[in-house]
Amino acid sequence: PICFLPLSLDMDRDEQIMLGCCSKMVCNGCLYANGIRELGENLKHTCPFCRHPLGESDAEFNKHIMKRAAVNDPFALREIGKEHHSDGNYEDAFEYWTKSAEFGDVDAHFLLSTLYRKGQYVEKDEEKERYHLEEAAIGGHPVARYFLAINEIVNKKYERAVKHLIIAAKLGHDESIKSLMEVYKIGQISKEELAATLRAHQAAVDATKSSQREEAGRARKEGRKQEEL
């Protein structure tokens, strides 16, 4: 039971999970629905996407991710890069994210932009930072689009900034809506265009909702309450 609905930009790590067996990002609703189905039919716990057995240890998960990376799976490459970055190993993070970006992963482009902005392993480079932000934005990354907008606002290029913010907002990005409210106050976007963008933003947010995800959220809250007792 895979929903294929877009993932919310506000989802935390408990509401979505990357499966090491197939490198797919699955929402909590799909995992919950799959678990209910397996329980009702007395089935083994498997990946809702590829049906590989789940319940693996961290070592097994890492083994599967490395196997996916060996065949140039961009999502696996990106996740390994994240682990290296978390450990402070910026050099390996850069190498994995660069390879992931070469295979078309927009998140990897965004992550590379942060390295060039902060000067982690690489020299700070605004031109390369912007290149990776643009590549990520073209691929549909709303946060990258938002960062481009902020850069344009700093340079007082409001027309370009508004275009970026509208695109990001229509993808469900909340901060872009807040920024559009601010530029509206200084007359850089019309009331009609702002209203249309607000409607599109709400539609994008609504598209991420489902009864399965809501049930999973309630079950998780109940589980936490039980743990606190």
Side-chain angles (χ1 to χ4, degrees), residues 26-223:
V26 178
C27 74
N28 59 344
C30 289
L31 290 172
Y32 179 76
N34 189 52
I36 294 296
R37 180 186 64 84
E38 290 169 340
L39 188 64
E41 298 178 19
N42 196 28
L43 300 173
K44 291 183 178 181
H45 192 32
T46 60
C47 169
F49 192 88
C50 70
R51 301 307 179 196
H52 186 279
L54 291 181
E56 57 190 10
S57 65
D58 288 343
E60 289 173 319
F61 175 85
N62 290 334
K63 180 181 178 181
H64 285 133
I65 285 290
M66 292 303 295
K67 187 181 291 186
R68 297 294 305 174
V71 294
N72 295 324
D73 183 313
F75 309 114
L77 291 166
R78 181 227 303 153
E79 291 304 306
I80 295 172
K82 283 184 178 180
E83 290 299 319
H84 285 304
H85 189 268
S86 296
D87 294 337
N89 184 355
Y90 303 136
E91 180 178 359
D92 282 351
F94 174 78
E95 296 297 333
Y96 275 100
W97 288 344
T98 296
K99 194 170 185 179
S100 177
E102 288 173 353
F103 285 102
D105 185 58
V106 296
D107 285 318
H109 275 294
F110 177 73
L111 293 167
L112 284 169
S113 77
T114 66
L115 295 184
Y116 283 109
R117 183 174 71 253
K118 297 177 180 179
Q120 294 176 332
Y121 175 64
V122 295
E123 294 289 332
K124 288 185 178 181
D125 190 319
E126 291 184 4
E127 186 176 333
K128 289 182 179 179
E129 176 196 353
R130 185 177 183 83
Y131 164 77
H132 286 292
L133 283 175
E134 289 176 344
E135 288 296 308
I138 290 169
H141 198 291
V143 182
R145 184 74 69 175
Y146 172 74
F147 276 30
L148 288 171
I150 296 304
N151 288 338
E152 300 294 2
I153 289 174
V154 169
N155 294 318
K156 299 188 182 304
K157 296 181 179 179
Y158 294 111
E159 186 176 350
R160 291 173 62 89
V162 167
K163 288 179 180 179
H164 284 308
L165 290 172
I166 288 174
I167 293 171
K170 288 181 177 180
L171 292 171
H173 190 248
D174 294 339
E175 289 301 317
S176 291
I177 286 292
K178 293 177 183 178
S179 294
L180 284 170
M181 293 292 193
E182 293 301 315
V183 296
Y184 171 70
K185 293 177 183 177
I186 58 174
Q188 296 297 326
I189 182 174
S190 69
K191 183 177 181 180
E192 293 74 20
E193 196 167 23
L194 177 60
T197 304
L198 285 168
R199 290 192 295 271
H201 171 267
Q202 189 58 53
V205 172
D206 291 343
T208 68
K209 298 177 181 179
S210 72
S211 58
Q212 286 183 354
R213 290 181 181 179
E214 291 173 1
E215 283 185 48
R218 286 193 293 269
R220 186 178 55 148
K221 288 180 181 178
E222 288 300 318

